[in-house]
Amino acid sequence: PAGWVGDPPPAGTEVYIARLPQDVYENTLIPLFESVGKLYEFRLMMTFSGLNRGFAYARYASLQEARRAIATFHRFQLRRGCAIVVCWSTQKRELVMDNLPASVNQQELEAGLQMVTEGIRSVTLFASPCQRRAKLAVLKYRSHKAAALAKKALMEGNLRLGKEGMRVDWLDPQVKKKLQLCEEEPSPSWVQGDESLAVPRPVAVPLSLQKVLECLNVVCWKHHLRTPLFITRCVQVNPNGWQKFWYQVVIPGYHVPVSGFTWVSPDRQGQSKQEKARVVAALHILWVLGESLHSQLPAFPTVLKSL
């Protein structure tokens, strides 16, 4: 605002306003919400048709003024029979994009997002839990405002990735928790035909490396492939103890090595981090061989299930 000196207001000074009539605009809303305190910023979400989207954000100069706005205007009758909702803004900063093409890679997605949105901090790709040949991306923005504007731009189709049906929404906490337990999808370091191959879904129980390797060796032997060679390397460690491993598996007789990444949880009894990473790598190979040789190996799903 004019005359403002110093840093922006601290976190927690923004309120969320909902259930607004679609033909109400800033000339009505700003004077109303300024009546209880100094506004630092007011954002009314709009559609291209010229109507508002039914919600807005008001950021106050202080926590006390934001609290006063909630106490004064929550369930306030803006019009007869039209009570608005005013509550604390959750300051969400993460979006989820689902049903992305299986061929999309992180560099391509980041470049596209930087062209149509601002304030992108990170992009993380996963195999989509809903579509087998699709990907899911978690986008983290520097602020709630940047994320909200990005959500609007992406929902309006400003990013084209060659696939219909792409969905954009706020990242649900339960989905986020599940994704944190999943292996991160490998970079598309190799492609068979026109489809990128992804990491198998995470397994609910710890698996014995010996049992997985025995299964893998049997599959390789049946298809005249030699014993797989594993390379694993820790490339990142998070403060909570999780470690990111890169792995590569070379199978003599198979046409190309298979590589990827996986997050490994803190130590548990009976299994080292290197061993966990090799389990994921072995399961990745089993999944790949099952995809490419399923017509010759009808028992493959049963083998995986037995693990």
Side-chain angles (χ1 to χ4, degrees):
W4 183 271
V5 178
D7 295 329
T13 56
E14 185 174 88
V15 301
Y16 172 68
I17 307 156
R19 298 185 186 173
L20 293 170
Q22 285 195 288
D23 59 347
V24 172
Y25 301 100
E26 291 97 329
N27 61 336
T28 298
L29 296 170
I30 289 179
L32 179 67
F33 282 89
E34 275 185 331
S35 67
V36 295
K38 183 175 180 61
L39 281 176
Y40 179 80
E41 181 180 65
F42 191 91
R43 308 195 312 279
L44 179 63
M45 300 296 106
M46 303 292 293
T47 68
F48 282 124
S49 64
L51 299 175
N52 75 60
R53 298 176 61 196
F55 64 96
Y57 299 91
R59 189 176 182 187
Y60 283 90
S62 69
L63 180 63
Q64 293 76 14
E65 291 165 313
R67 187 179 292 116
R68 191 183 308 132
I70 294 173
T72 304
F73 295 124
H74 182 53
R75 298 181 181 174
F76 177 77
Q77 292 281 337
L78 193 61
R79 289 178 181 169
R80 182 183 294 272
C82 179
I84 63 175
V85 170
V86 182
C87 58
W88 294 108
S89 173
T90 56
Q91 293 295 302
K92 298 176 183 177
R93 298 184 182 186
E94 292 176 302
L95 301 175
V96 60
M97 296 177 67
D98 201 359
N99 201 30
L100 295 170
S103 59
V104 72
N105 60 57
Q106 185 156 331
Q107 292 76 18
E108 177 187 1
L109 183 57
E110 286 179 353
L113 289 168
Q114 288 172 359
M115 290 178 64
V116 300
T117 70
E118 295 183 0
I120 187 77
R121 285 288 179 84
S122 66
V123 177
T124 308
L125 277 174
F126 298 88
S128 173
C130 303
Q131 301 286 336
R132 185 173 185 182
R133 291 300 184 187
K135 292 183 181 179
L136 174 150
V138 173
L139 318 177
K140 188 170 184 178
Y141 285 83
R142 67 165 179 256
S143 67
H144 176 71
K145 176 182 177 181
L149 293 174
K151 180 174 179 286
K152 179 176 182 292
L154 294 170
M155 289 179 66
E156 290 168 350
N158 292 333
L159 182 63
R160 301 288 183 182
L161 293 170
K163 184 172 184 177
E164 298 295 330
M166 183 182 73
R167 297 182 295 271
V168 182
D169 207 342
W170 295 110
L171 178 61
D172 182 85
Q174 293 300 319
V175 173
K176 182 177 181 179
K177 186 175 181 180
K178 289 178 182 179
L179 291 175
Q180 287 174 339
L181 298 176
C182 293
E183 297 90 356
E184 190 171 283
E185 183 175 320
S187 301
S189 54
W190 68 286
V191 176
Q192 180 174 325
D194 59 352
E195 296 177 312
S196 297
L197 297 177
V199 170
R201 305 310 315 155
V203 184
V205 295
L207 296 175
S208 160
L209 177 60
Q210 181 179 355
K211 194 169 185 178
V212 176
L213 290 180
E214 287 174 0
C215 179
L216 179 57
N217 287 336
V218 168
V219 172
C220 291
W221 174 77
K222 284 186 177 181
H223 295 280
H224 310 291
L225 301 172
R226 295 171 61 187
T227 303
L229 306 173
F230 291 82
I231 304 172
T232 58
R233 183 167 68 245
C234 180
V235 295
Q236 183 179 341
V237 180
N238 280 355
N240 58 11
W242 286 71
Q243 294 186 9
K244 183 178 182 180
F245 275 81
W246 171 83
Y247 61 82
Q248 186 173 77
V249 185
V250 178
I251 307 176
Y254 195 69
H255 60 284
V256 66
V258 177
S259 61
F261 293 91
T262 183
W263 283 99
V264 173
S265 62
D267 282 329
R268 294 175 182 170
Q269 288 185 338
Q271 202 172 36
S272 70
K273 292 183 174 66
Q274 290 279 352
E275 187 176 351
K276 291 178 185 179
R278 291 187 70 187
V279 166
V280 173
L283 287 173
H284 188 182
I285 290 294
L286 283 170
W287 186 87
V288 168
L289 293 178
E291 285 293 304
S292 60
L293 304 171
H294 66 279
S295 61
Q296 306 172 51
L297 187 60
F300 178 74
T302 305
V303 174
L304 274 184
K305 187 176 181 181
S306 70
L307 292 174

